[in-house]
Amino acid sequence: PDTALIAEPSWRRAWRRAASAPRATGSVDPLDHPELRRSLAVHLRRTRGIAVNPDDLVILPGVAAATRVLAVLPDSADATSPSKNPDTIGPVAR
């Protein structure tokens, strides 16, 4: 995103708020962060035309974690898994 589009006081306030948040303890619950999941669902609908339920989004700490999750997903016969067909968005096993 272009940070120049954000007013500097708002940007600094957001950084201070993020920096003051409790740090992760090592265990990650992918269903945490309901506000982030709601915001991402709205963003996906507006920018990509994808209607997704926030409860279907899983938040992970990075690409490596997401890759590990995709590697252990049960193999399915359909093409709804992003690991089967990256052009298809579908339900993700939990």
Side-chain angles (χ1 to χ4, degrees), residues 40-56:
L40 286 172
V42 169
H43 176 74
L44 288 170
R45 183 177 41 79
R46 286 182 183 165
T47 63
R48 304 285 185 204
I50 301 170
V52 62
N53 184 327
D55 293 334
D56 292 335

Side-chain angles (χ1 to χ4, degrees), residues 4 10 20 22-23 35 75:
S10 298
S20 68
R23 299 194 84 196
E35 184 179 338
D75 194 19

